[in-house]
PDB file of all heavy atoms in Angstrom:
ATOM      1  N   SER A   7      27.751 164.742 126.861  1.00  0.00           N
ATOM      2  CA  SER A   7      26.548 165.382 127.500  1.00  0.00           C
ATOM      3  C   SER A   7      27.083 166.434 128.497  1.00  0.00           C
ATOM      4  O   SER A   7      28.188 166.365 129.029  1.00  0.00           O
ATOM      5  CB  SER A   7      25.881 164.218 128.342  1.00  0.00           C
ATOM      6  OG  SER A   7      26.660 163.706 129.330  1.00  0.00           O
ATOM      7  N   PHE A   8      26.332 167.460 128.579  1.00  0.00           N
ATOM      8  CA  PHE A   8      26.570 168.588 129.487  1.00  0.00           C
ATOM      9  C   PHE A   8      25.407 168.810 130.344  1.00  0.00           C
ATOM     10  O   PHE A   8      24.319 168.856 129.901  1.00  0.00           O
ATOM     11  CB  PHE A   8      27.040 169.770 128.669  1.00  0.00           C
ATOM     12  CG  PHE A   8      27.257 170.982 129.596  1.00  0.00           C
ATOM     13  CD1 PHE A   8      28.438 171.284 130.257  1.00  0.00           C
ATOM     14  CD2 PHE A   8      26.295 171.934 129.728  1.00  0.00           C
ATOM     15  CE1 PHE A   8      28.712 172.329 131.019  1.00  0.00           C
ATOM     16  CE2 PHE A   8      26.482 173.050 130.522  1.00  0.00           C
ATOM     17  CZ  PHE A   8      27.649 173.200 131.134  1.00  0.00           C
ATOM     18  N   ARG A   9      25.668 168.980 131.621  1.00  0.00           N
ATOM     19  CA  ARG A   9      24.525 169.248 132.544  1.00  0.00           C
ATOM     20  C   ARG A   9      24.973 170.242 133.635  1.00  0.00           C
ATOM     21  O   ARG A   9      26.040 170.072 134.200  1.00  0.00           O
ATOM     22  CB  ARG A   9      24.041 167.917 133.196  1.00  0.00           C
ATOM     23  CG  ARG A   9      22.823 168.067 134.123  1.00  0.00           C
ATOM     24  CD  ARG A   9      22.454 166.799 134.673  1.00  0.00           C
ATOM     25  NE  ARG A   9      21.257 166.862 135.523  1.00  0.00           N
ATOM     26  CZ  ARG A   9      20.639 165.938 136.118  1.00  0.00           C
ATOM     27  NH1 ARG A   9      21.153 164.692 135.956  1.00  0.00           N
ATOM     28  NH2 ARG A   9      19.605 166.092 136.851  1.00  0.00           N
ATOM     29  N   ALA A  10      24.132 171.310 133.814  1.00  0.00           N
ATOM     30  CA  ALA A  10      24.357 172.271 134.872  1.00  0.00           C
ATOM     31  C   ALA A  10      23.154 172.355 135.763  1.00  0.00           C
ATOM     32  O   ALA A  10      22.003 172.495 135.237  1.00  0.00           O
ATOM     33  CB  ALA A  10      24.674 173.666 134.224  1.00  0.00           C
ATOM     34  N   THR A  11      23.342 172.293 137.061  1.00  0.00           N
ATOM     35  CA  THR A  11      22.192 172.249 138.002  1.00  0.00           C
ATOM     36  C   THR A  11      22.475 173.309 139.089  1.00  0.00           C
ATOM     37  O   THR A  11      23.572 173.385 139.662  1.00  0.00           O
ATOM     38  CB  THR A  11      22.078 170.878 138.592  1.00  0.00           C
ATOM     39  OG1 THR A  11      21.884 169.857 137.572  1.00  0.00           O
ATOM     40  CG2 THR A  11      20.844 170.889 139.535  1.00  0.00           C
ATOM     41  N   VAL A  12      21.437 174.093 139.383  1.00  0.00           N
ATOM     42  CA  VAL A  12      21.491 175.137 140.432  1.00  0.00           C
ATOM     43  C   VAL A  12      20.326 174.774 141.363  1.00  0.00           C
ATOM     44  O   VAL A  12      19.212 174.772 140.881  1.00  0.00           O
ATOM     45  CB  VAL A  12      21.377 176.577 139.905  1.00  0.00           C
ATOM     46  CG1 VAL A  12      21.393 177.496 141.026  1.00  0.00           C
ATOM     47  CG2 VAL A  12      22.560 176.834 138.986  1.00  0.00           C
ATOM     48  N   SER A  13      20.575 174.535 142.616  1.00  0.00           N
ATOM     49  CA  SER A  13      19.590 174.297 143.617  1.00  0.00           C
ATOM     50  C   SER A  13      19.602 175.246 144.726  1.00  0.00           C
ATOM     51  O   SER A  13      20.768 175.783 145.069  1.00  0.00           O
ATOM     52  CB  SER A  13      19.814 172.834 144.193  1.00  0.00           C
ATOM     53  OG  SER A  13      21.006 172.634 144.818  1.00  0.00           O
ATOM     54  N   GLN A  14      18.494 175.559 145.318  1.00  0.00           N
ATOM     55  CA  GLN A  14      18.454 176.656 146.320  1.00  0.00           C
ATOM     56  C   GLN A  14      17.560 176.155 147.391  1.00  0.00           C
ATOM     57  O   GLN A  14      16.392 175.708 147.171  1.00  0.00           O
ATOM     58  CB  GLN A  14      17.893 177.980 145.751  1.00  0.00           C
ATOM     59  CG  GLN A  14      17.635 178.949 146.781  1.00  0.00           C
ATOM     60  CD  GLN A  14      18.877 179.508 147.544  1.00  0.00           C
ATOM     61  OE1 GLN A  14      19.767 179.775 146.926  1.00  0.00           O
ATOM     62  NE2 GLN A  14      18.822 179.509 148.874  1.00  0.00           N
ATOM     63  N   HIS A  15      17.957 176.157 148.641  1.00  0.00           N
ATOM     64  CA  HIS A  15      17.130 175.836 149.850  1.00  0.00           C
ATOM     65  C   HIS A  15      16.157 176.984 150.051  1.00  0.00           C
ATOM     66  O   HIS A  15      16.577 178.148 150.076  1.00  0.00           O
ATOM     67  CB  HIS A  15      18.011 175.631 151.049  1.00  0.00           C
ATOM     68  CG  HIS A  15      18.926 174.379 150.947  1.00  0.00           C
ATOM     69  ND1 HIS A  15      18.504 173.106 151.243  1.00  0.00           N
ATOM     70  CD2 HIS A  15      20.247 174.244 150.721  1.00  0.00           C
ATOM     71  CE1 HIS A  15      19.402 172.268 151.130  1.00  0.00           C
ATOM     72  NE2 HIS A  15      20.543 172.925 150.804  1.00  0.00           N
ATOM     73  N   LEU A  16      14.912 176.621 150.310  1.00  0.00           N
ATOM     74  CA  LEU A  16      13.936 177.601 150.478  1.00  0.00           C
ATOM     75  C   LEU A  16      13.538 177.707 151.992  1.00  0.00           C
ATOM     76  O   LEU A  16      13.121 178.762 152.388  1.00  0.00           O
ATOM     77  CB  LEU A  16      12.688 177.306 149.674  1.00  0.00           C
ATOM     78  CG  LEU A  16      12.915 177.346 148.136  1.00  0.00           C
ATOM     79  CD1 LEU A  16      11.594 177.014 147.360  1.00  0.00           C
ATOM     80  CD2 LEU A  16      13.422 178.610 147.637  1.00  0.00           C
ATOM     81  N   LEU A  17      13.586 176.586 152.591  1.00  0.00           N
ATOM     82  CA  LEU A  17      13.284 176.631 154.090  1.00  0.00           C
ATOM     83  C   LEU A  17      14.554 176.264 154.950  1.00  0.00           C
ATOM     84  O   LEU A  17      15.368 177.105 155.298  1.00  0.00           O
ATOM     85  CB  LEU A  17      12.095 175.619 154.335  1.00  0.00           C
ATOM     86  CG  LEU A  17      10.730 176.034 153.664  1.00  0.00           C
ATOM     87  CD1 LEU A  17       9.662 175.004 153.934  1.00  0.00           C
ATOM     88  CD2 LEU A  17      10.343 177.345 154.143  1.00  0.00           C
ATOM     89  N   GLN A  18      14.637 174.915 155.238  1.00  0.00           N
ATOM     90  CA  GLN A  18      15.832 174.572 155.966  1.00  0.00           C
ATOM     91  C   GLN A  18      17.130 174.656 155.117  1.00  0.00           C
ATOM     92  O   GLN A  18      17.134 174.231 154.009  1.00  0.00           O
ATOM     93  CB  GLN A  18      15.695 173.099 156.472  1.00  0.00           C
ATOM     94  CG  GLN A  18      16.816 172.618 157.322  1.00  0.00           C
ATOM     95  CD  GLN A  18      16.702 171.187 157.736  1.00  0.00           C
ATOM     96  OE1 GLN A  18      16.111 170.384 156.993  1.00  0.00           O
ATOM     97  NE2 GLN A  18      17.103 170.851 159.019  1.00  0.00           N
ATOM     98  N   GLY A  19      18.154 175.293 155.695  1.00  0.00           N
ATOM     99  CA  GLY A  19      19.371 175.541 154.935  1.00  0.00           C
ATOM    100  C   GLY A  19      19.375 176.829 154.194  1.00  0.00           C
ATOM    101  O   GLY A  19      20.316 177.048 153.419  1.00  0.00           O
ATOM    102  N   PHE A  20      18.365 177.678 154.342  1.00  0.00           N
ATOM    103  CA  PHE A  20      18.409 178.931 153.630  1.00  0.00           C
ATOM    104  C   PHE A  20      18.830 180.093 154.542  1.00  0.00           C
ATOM    105  O   PHE A  20      18.503 180.122 155.743  1.00  0.00           O
ATOM    106  CB  PHE A  20      16.893 179.241 153.169  1.00  0.00           C
ATOM    107  CG  PHE A  20      16.793 180.636 152.522  1.00  0.00           C
ATOM    108  CD1 PHE A  20      17.110 180.846 151.261  1.00  0.00           C
ATOM    109  CD2 PHE A  20      16.337 181.717 153.321  1.00  0.00           C
ATOM    110  CE1 PHE A  20      16.995 182.065 150.624  1.00  0.00           C
ATOM    111  CE2 PHE A  20      16.174 182.917 152.696  1.00  0.00           C
ATOM    112  CZ  PHE A  20      16.548 183.136 151.422  1.00  0.00           C
ATOM    113  N   GLY A  21      19.636 180.982 154.079  1.00  0.00           N
ATOM    114  CA  GLY A  21      20.099 182.063 154.828  1.00  0.00           C
ATOM    115  C   GLY A  21      21.643 182.148 154.937  1.00  0.00           C
ATOM    116  O   GLY A  21      22.281 181.199 155.036  1.00  0.00           O
ATOM    117  N   TRP A  22      22.054 183.465 154.834  1.00  0.00           N
ATOM    118  CA  TRP A  22      23.457 183.798 154.880  1.00  0.00           C
ATOM    119  C   TRP A  22      24.034 183.403 156.299  1.00  0.00           C
ATOM    120  O   TRP A  22      25.071 182.738 156.438  1.00  0.00           O
ATOM    121  CB  TRP A  22      23.646 185.238 154.596  1.00  0.00           C
ATOM    122  CG  TRP A  22      25.107 185.735 154.650  1.00  0.00           C
ATOM    123  CD1 TRP A  22      25.770 186.218 155.759  1.00  0.00           C
ATOM    124  CD2 TRP A  22      25.998 185.838 153.611  1.00  0.00           C
ATOM    125  NE1 TRP A  22      27.018 186.549 155.396  1.00  0.00           N
ATOM    126  CE2 TRP A  22      27.204 186.361 154.023  1.00  0.00           C
ATOM    127  CE3 TRP A  22      25.826 185.522 152.121  1.00  0.00           C
ATOM    128  CZ2 TRP A  22      28.331 186.635 153.271  1.00  0.00           C
ATOM    129  CZ3 TRP A  22      27.001 185.768 151.394  1.00  0.00           C
ATOM    130  CH2 TRP A  22      28.203 186.278 151.969  1.00  0.00           C
ATOM    131  N   ASN A  23      23.386 183.839 157.407  1.00  0.00           N
ATOM    132  CA  ASN A  23      23.960 183.609 158.754  1.00  0.00           C
ATOM    133  C   ASN A  23      23.886 182.147 159.117  1.00  0.00           C
ATOM    134  O   ASN A  23      24.902 181.752 159.828  1.00  0.00           O
ATOM    135  CB  ASN A  23      23.165 184.511 159.756  1.00  0.00           C
ATOM    136  CG  ASN A  23      23.361 185.994 159.545  1.00  0.00           C
ATOM    137  OD1 ASN A  23      24.370 186.383 159.051  1.00  0.00           O
ATOM    138  ND2 ASN A  23      22.310 186.672 159.841  1.00  0.00           N
ATOM    139  N   LEU A  24      22.961 181.473 158.666  1.00  0.00           N
ATOM    140  CA  LEU A  24      22.821 180.070 159.059  1.00  0.00           C
ATOM    141  C   LEU A  24      24.018 179.278 158.438  1.00  0.00           C
ATOM    142  O   LEU A  24      24.632 178.423 159.173  1.00  0.00           O
ATOM    143  CB  LEU A  24      21.505 179.530 158.564  1.00  0.00           C
ATOM    144  CG  LEU A  24      21.316 178.008 158.724  1.00  0.00           C
ATOM    145  CD1 LEU A  24      21.286 177.522 160.187  1.00  0.00           C
ATOM    146  CD2 LEU A  24      20.037 177.533 157.931  1.00  0.00           C
ATOM    147  N   ASN A  25      24.312 179.440 157.191  1.00  0.00           N
ATOM    148  CA  ASN A  25      25.404 178.687 156.520  1.00  0.00           C
ATOM    149  C   ASN A  25      26.794 179.177 156.879  1.00  0.00           C
ATOM    150  O   ASN A  25      27.722 178.408 156.687  1.00  0.00           O
ATOM    151  CB  ASN A  25      25.186 178.683 155.018  1.00  0.00           C
ATOM    152  CG  ASN A  25      23.895 177.988 154.548  1.00  0.00           C
ATOM    153  OD1 ASN A  25      23.745 176.828 154.799  1.00  0.00           O
ATOM    154  ND2 ASN A  25      23.035 178.695 153.967  1.00  0.00           N
ATOM    155  N   ARG A  26      26.894 180.362 157.444  1.00  0.00           N
ATOM    156  CA  ARG A  26      28.188 180.876 157.880  1.00  0.00           C
ATOM    157  C   ARG A  26      28.300 180.837 159.377  1.00  0.00           C
ATOM    158  O   ARG A  26      29.128 181.555 159.925  1.00  0.00           O
ATOM    159  CB  ARG A  26      28.320 182.334 157.404  1.00  0.00           C
ATOM    160  CG  ARG A  26      28.538 182.497 155.901  1.00  0.00           C
ATOM    161  CD  ARG A  26      28.606 183.939 155.487  1.00  0.00           C
ATOM    162  NE  ARG A  26      29.583 184.631 156.173  1.00  0.00           N
ATOM    163  CZ  ARG A  26      30.914 184.796 155.784  1.00  0.00           C
ATOM    164  NH1 ARG A  26      31.237 184.219 154.706  1.00  0.00           N
ATOM    165  NH2 ARG A  26      31.763 185.426 156.504  1.00  0.00           N
ATOM    166  N   ARG A  27      27.559 180.002 160.092  1.00  0.00           N
ATOM    167  CA  ARG A  27      27.590 180.032 161.582  1.00  0.00           C
ATOM    168  C   ARG A  27      28.969 179.459 162.019  1.00  0.00           C
ATOM    169  O   ARG A  27      29.407 179.970 163.078  1.00  0.00           O
ATOM    170  CB  ARG A  27      26.404 179.080 162.069  1.00  0.00           C
ATOM    171  CG  ARG A  27      26.486 177.717 161.637  1.00  0.00           C
ATOM    172  CD  ARG A  27      25.228 176.906 162.175  1.00  0.00           C
ATOM    173  NE  ARG A  27      25.271 175.533 161.882  1.00  0.00           N
ATOM    174  CZ  ARG A  27      24.898 174.924 160.729  1.00  0.00           C
ATOM    175  NH1 ARG A  27      24.550 175.799 159.727  1.00  0.00           N
ATOM    176  NH2 ARG A  27      24.996 173.681 160.575  1.00  0.00           N
ATOM    177  N   ASN A  28      29.549 178.515 161.350  1.00  0.00           N
ATOM    178  CA  ASN A  28      30.801 177.993 161.825  1.00  0.00           C
ATOM    179  C   ASN A  28      31.951 179.097 161.700  1.00  0.00           C
ATOM    180  O   ASN A  28      32.858 179.084 162.504  1.00  0.00           O
ATOM    181  CB  ASN A  28      31.254 176.758 160.935  1.00  0.00           C
ATOM    182  CG  ASN A  28      30.438 175.499 161.376  1.00  0.00           C
ATOM    183  OD1 ASN A  28      29.905 175.519 162.477  1.00  0.00           O
ATOM    184  ND2 ASN A  28      30.404 174.602 160.572  1.00  0.00           N
ATOM    185  N   ILE A  29      31.787 180.005 160.651  1.00  0.00           N
ATOM    186  CA  ILE A  29      32.800 181.038 160.583  1.00  0.00           C
ATOM    187  C   ILE A  29      32.641 182.009 161.751  1.00  0.00           C
ATOM    188  O   ILE A  29      33.641 182.529 162.282  1.00  0.00           O
ATOM    189  CB  ILE A  29      32.540 181.735 159.238  1.00  0.00           C
ATOM    190  CG1 ILE A  29      32.816 180.802 158.043  1.00  0.00           C
ATOM    191  CG2 ILE A  29      33.508 182.971 159.055  1.00  0.00           C
ATOM    192  CD1 ILE A  29      32.551 181.431 156.710  1.00  0.00           C
ATOM    193  N   THR A  30      31.419 182.334 162.133  1.00  0.00           N
ATOM    194  CA  THR A  30      31.224 183.124 163.206  1.00  0.00           C
ATOM    195  C   THR A  30      31.742 182.542 164.568  1.00  0.00           C
ATOM    196  O   THR A  30      32.372 183.241 165.380  1.00  0.00           O
ATOM    197  CB  THR A  30      29.736 183.436 163.356  1.00  0.00           C
ATOM    198  OG1 THR A  30      29.226 184.043 162.229  1.00  0.00           O
ATOM    199  CG2 THR A  30      29.466 184.439 164.577  1.00  0.00           C
ATOM    200  N   ILE A  31      31.499 181.226 164.773  1.00  0.00           N
ATOM    201  CA  ILE A  31      32.014 180.547 165.957  1.00  0.00           C
ATOM    202  C   ILE A  31      33.508 180.518 165.891  1.00  0.00           C
ATOM    203  O   ILE A  31      34.159 180.777 166.986  1.00  0.00           O
ATOM    204  CB  ILE A  31      31.412 179.141 165.991  1.00  0.00           C
ATOM    205  CG1 ILE A  31      29.956 179.175 166.161  1.00  0.00           C
ATOM    206  CG2 ILE A  31      32.173 178.314 167.076  1.00  0.00           C
ATOM    207  CD1 ILE A  31      29.288 177.804 166.135  1.00  0.00           C
TER     208      ILE A  31
END
């Protein structure tokens, strides 16, 4: 069996700056 899943946050957890905040800090 082979399975590929792509998920994308639409509200909470969405955004470049939000997910890279620890890098900025």
Side-chain angles (χ1 to χ4, degrees):
S7 64
F8 176 83
R9 182 176 182 179
T11 304
V12 178
S13 61
Q14 172 65 50
H15 293 279
L16 298 180
L17 296 177
Q18 186 182 29
F20 174 81
W22 179 274
N23 294 329
L24 174 65
N25 293 300
R26 290 176 54 89
R27 63 186 184 276
N28 284 341
I29 300 178
T30 303
I31 295 175

